[in-house]
Amino acid sequence: MRRYFPAALLLIWVLGLIWPAGEANALSCARQPSVNEEFARSTVVFHGKAVGERKNGATTFEVTEAWKGVASDKIDVQVSNMWMPVQQGEAYLVYAAQQNGVLTAYLCGRTALWEQGRADTASFPSISVTPEGSPAAPWSLTVAGAVVALIFAVLLARLMIARRRDPKRK
């Protein structure tokens, strides 16, 4: 059994090298979503001016342009004041989604002052093309890694069997 220990360790090491690792972030804000990701996950996307604040903390926006999901010229959105204070009278590019029945801008999303976010509008898709539930890691890498690991295991097993059968090696 001791003879196979180094080979087993080598196999585990090779598998660790070829197996695709998932994405890991210390905070959900470590990686800002791309424009297409943010657009796809949002219920509403619009350019609007902050014109008021509701008692529940939501900001009322007067919509200037809408790209997704806006049905009226005024809309209330819950925007976190912790990361981005909303200034009344300022124009914003807002991405928001329904959360517990309230339109809410993502805490670490792309909602920004209009001057900072207007470049996003150049790459807005005409329709959302990101399918829901798409895998985090490409399956082709996982399948390729499994095939390479299987070939390596078969070759290693054949080598061990050949060494065991060779009478000169004992």
Side-chain angles (χ1 to χ4, degrees), residues 44-59:
V44 297
V45 179
F46 65 91
H47 164 217
K49 182 178 176 182
V51 293
E53 191 169 332
R54 310 284 266 166
K55 287 183 181 178
N56 65 357
T59 301

Side-chain angles (χ1 to χ4, degrees), residues 81-95:
N81 290 334
M82 187 171 80
W83 293 92
M84 183 188 80
V86 176
Q87 300 293 322
Q88 299 303 312
E90 291 286 340
Y92 290 87
L93 175 61
V94 180
Y95 297 85

Side-chain angles (χ1 to χ4, degrees), residues 13-55:
W13 179 73
V14 168
L15 286 174
L17 286 177
I18 61 175
W19 200 264
E23 183 178 326
N25 294 319
L27 297 171
S28 61
C29 296
R31 183 187 73 82
Q32 187 179 41
S34 71
V35 174
N36 289 338
E37 289 172 334
E38 186 81 343
F39 190 91
R41 73 178 183 167
S42 297
T43 308
V44 297
V45 179
F46 65 91
H47 164 217
K49 182 178 176 182
V51 293
E53 191 169 332
R54 310 284 266 166
K55 287 183 181 178

Side-chain angles (χ1 to χ4, degrees), residues 11-158:
L11 178 63
I12 292 169
W13 179 73
V14 168
L15 286 174
L17 286 177
I18 61 175
W19 200 264
E23 183 178 326
N25 294 319
L27 297 171
S28 61
C29 296
R31 183 187 73 82
Q32 187 179 41
S34 71
V35 174
N36 289 338
E37 289 172 334
E38 186 81 343
F39 190 91
R41 73 178 183 167
S42 297
T43 308
V44 297
V45 179
F46 65 91
H47 164 217
K49 182 178 176 182
V51 293
E53 191 169 332
R54 310 284 266 166
K55 287 183 181 178
N56 65 357
T59 301
T60 301
F61 289 92
E62 193 172 87
V63 178
T64 307
E65 287 179 273
W67 290 273
K68 186 176 181 183
V70 178
S72 66
D73 61 342
K74 288 195 178 178
I75 190 167
D76 293 335
V77 178
Q78 189 77 39
V79 181
S80 172
N81 290 334
M82 187 171 80
W83 293 92
M84 183 188 80
V86 176
Q87 300 293 322
Q88 299 303 312
E90 291 286 340
Y92 290 87
L93 175 61
V94 180
Y95 297 85
Q98 289 286 341
Q99 293 180 358
N100 300 324
V102 177
L103 275 174
T104 306
Y106 297 102
L107 180 63
C108 300
R110 300 185 68 88
T111 295
L113 283 167
W114 174 243
E115 292 305 316
Q116 295 169 347
R118 80 180 326 158
D120 285 8
T121 63
S123 59
F124 280 169
S126 55
I127 58 168
S128 177
V129 293
T130 305
E132 298 250 346
S134 45
W139 282 106
S140 59
L141 288 178
T142 304
V143 171
V147 168
V148 169
L150 184 62
I151 291 170
F152 180 76
V154 168
L155 291 175
L156 187 61
R158 288 188 67 167

